[in-house]
Amino acid sequence: MSQWEMILRLILSGVLGALIGFERRSHFKEAGLRTHFVVALGSALIMLVSKYGFEDLVGSQSVSLDPSRVAAQVVSGIGFLGAGTIIVEHQSVKGLTTAAGLWATAGIGIAIGAGMYIPGVSATILILIGLEIFNKMEKATLYSTGKISLEIEGINPALDVLKASKVKVSNIQVNRHLKFNASEAKLVFRIYTRNQDEINKIMTSLLKIEYVKTVDIE
């Protein structure tokens, strides 16, 4: 293989990775264009090294080569990078799609580096289409996460406000600050609605409760 074709594979891999990164960045995700670009290009480079970097040793006595061995490490190694995009907060996990996207981007880079142009390009197109379709589906069930800092006496009144609201409220959790102040607690909940006016009404009603200190719904 010529050096120019290797460069072409690197460029194509980087472009395909950047397309997925652009989609992730447009939705304000942790890993964006630059990260996906580097992952795809780096994976393609590793695949090229794995496949063609040891040709001078082919035929040597007592030397056995496995072209898939170096490239296989990309699949497991990218998991560490993907783990950095996953955030766990109050039993809610964020960043899984971005982590999976990085893993798939690495696969695309490996495919292009191996010369599998059609599978690599097809995978990129399918991923972009799938992300857009499922993003629209998720927006139909848009939810907001709310947090209330309050005194213990205000828990029941706050729960009454949430139950009396016209929107769906779920995942209600009460956490007491036993280490700091036994009289204080935090209420975490989830609101399923696209109506900002309803969210504002709930926030206003909660702030009217005497024992509530702060309300944050985002």
Side-chain angles (χ1 to χ4, degrees):
M1 173 184 287
S2 68
Q3 300 292 326
W4 289 109
E5 186 174 351
M6 290 186 181
I7 295 174
L8 176 63
R9 292 186 183 185
L10 291 174
I11 294 173
L12 179 59
S13 180
V15 170
L16 295 178
L19 289 174
I20 298 176
F22 179 79
E23 190 279 337
R24 291 284 80 197
R25 177 54 60 190
S26 66
H27 291 88
F28 305 102
K29 301 302 180 180
E30 291 78 9
L33 192 149
R34 291 181 299 174
T35 303
H36 285 79
F37 172 81
V38 173
V39 167
L41 195 149
S43 299
L45 176 62
I46 293 171
M47 187 65 211
L48 288 170
V49 172
S50 181
K51 194 173 181 181
Y52 304 107
F54 308 99
E55 288 185 335
D56 57 325
L57 298 177
V58 175
S60 300
Q61 293 183 352
S62 69
V63 175
S64 59
L65 297 176
D66 181 4
S68 66
R69 181 172 244 173
V70 176
Q73 304 308 310
V74 176
V75 179
S76 57
I78 200 65
F80 292 98
L81 185 60
T85 67
I86 300 175
I87 302 173
V88 180
E89 183 179 4
H90 300 294
Q91 298 182 354
S92 177
V93 181
K94 300 179 180 179
L96 283 177
T97 303
T98 302
L102 286 172
W103 181 71
T105 301
I108 292 170
I110 291 174
I112 299 299
M116 302 174 65
Y117 298 110
I118 294 178
V121 174
S122 300
T124 303
I125 294 172
L126 289 172
I127 289 172
L128 290 173
I129 293 174
L131 288 173
E132 285 300 316
I133 291 175
F134 291 121
N135 275 328
K136 291 180 179 179
M137 291 176 63
E138 285 184 354
K139 287 180 180 179
T141 56
L142 189 65
Y143 65 84
S144 300
T145 301
K147 300 175 184 178
I148 308 174
S149 178
L150 72 175
E151 296 180 14
I152 297 297
E153 294 83 354
I155 292 178
N156 288 333
L159 291 176
D160 291 338
V161 169
L162 296 177
K163 292 177 181 178
S165 64
K166 297 180 180 180
V167 299
K168 179 183 177 182
V169 180
S170 67
N171 294 68
I172 299 177
Q173 303 173 30
V174 179
N175 304 314
R176 294 190 177 186
H177 302 315
L178 297 178
K179 292 183 179 180
F180 303 102
N181 192 333
S183 65
E184 294 184 1
K186 178 177 285 187
L187 189 63
V188 182
F189 56 93
R190 185 172 290 176
I191 300 176
Y192 292 87
T193 182
R194 302 180 67 179
N195 191 334
Q196 187 62 42
D197 291 336
E198 291 295 333
I199 295 177
N200 292 337
K201 288 180 182 178
I202 294 174
M203 182 178 290
T204 301
S205 299
L206 290 171
L207 288 171
K208 289 181 179 179
I209 299 175
E210 179 183 358
Y211 305 101
V212 172
K213 296 182 177 180
T214 59
V215 178
D216 183 21
I217 301 178
E218 57 183 17

